[in-house]
Amino acid sequence: MKKRTYKTKPQDNMEVHEPTAMYGISHPAPVVEDTLLPDGYMSLEQFGDIFHQKLDACYENIQGDCQ
């Protein structure tokens, strides 16, 4: 049986050119206002209140089922 030989094209190893770091240049940090929430979103405090209300209701149901 004849052995197969595969030919491959030689690949050039290209150097990676990473962007250079620019030290000492500071950009102003973007100002995020807590009052501006997109439609359909809620604040973390509102979510926490709703979550704990539902959690408390579930615990009450569990305790009622055990009796």
Side-chain angles (χ1 to χ4, degrees), residues 4 8-9 12 16 19 27-28 30-31 35 42-43 47 53 58-59 67:
R4 295 183 184 192
T8 58
K9 294 179 184 176
D12 295 333
V16 176
H27 299 284
V31 178
T35 58
M42 65 178 75
S43 70
F47 175 79
Q53 288 173 359
C58 288
Y59 278 125
Q67 295 176 353

Side-chain angles (χ1 to χ4, degrees), residues 21-65:
M22 301 178 78
Y23 297 104
I25 299 174
S26 62
H27 299 284
V31 178
V32 178
E33 295 185 25
D34 294 333
T35 58
L36 298 176
L37 292 173
D39 291 337
Y41 287 82
M42 65 178 75
S43 70
L44 187 59
E45 290 177 8
Q46 292 172 330
F47 175 79
D49 291 339
I50 293 170
F51 176 79
H52 287 290
Q53 288 173 359
K54 289 185 178 185
L55 188 65
D56 291 340
C58 288
Y59 278 125
E60 289 175 6
N61 290 340
I62 290 173
Q63 290 176 357
D65 291 341

Side-chain angles (χ1 to χ4, degrees), residues 8-21:
T8 58
K9 294 179 184 176
Q11 295 179 353
D12 295 333
N13 292 336
M14 302 177 89
E15 291 183 19
V16 176
H17 297 288
E18 296 181 5
T20 57

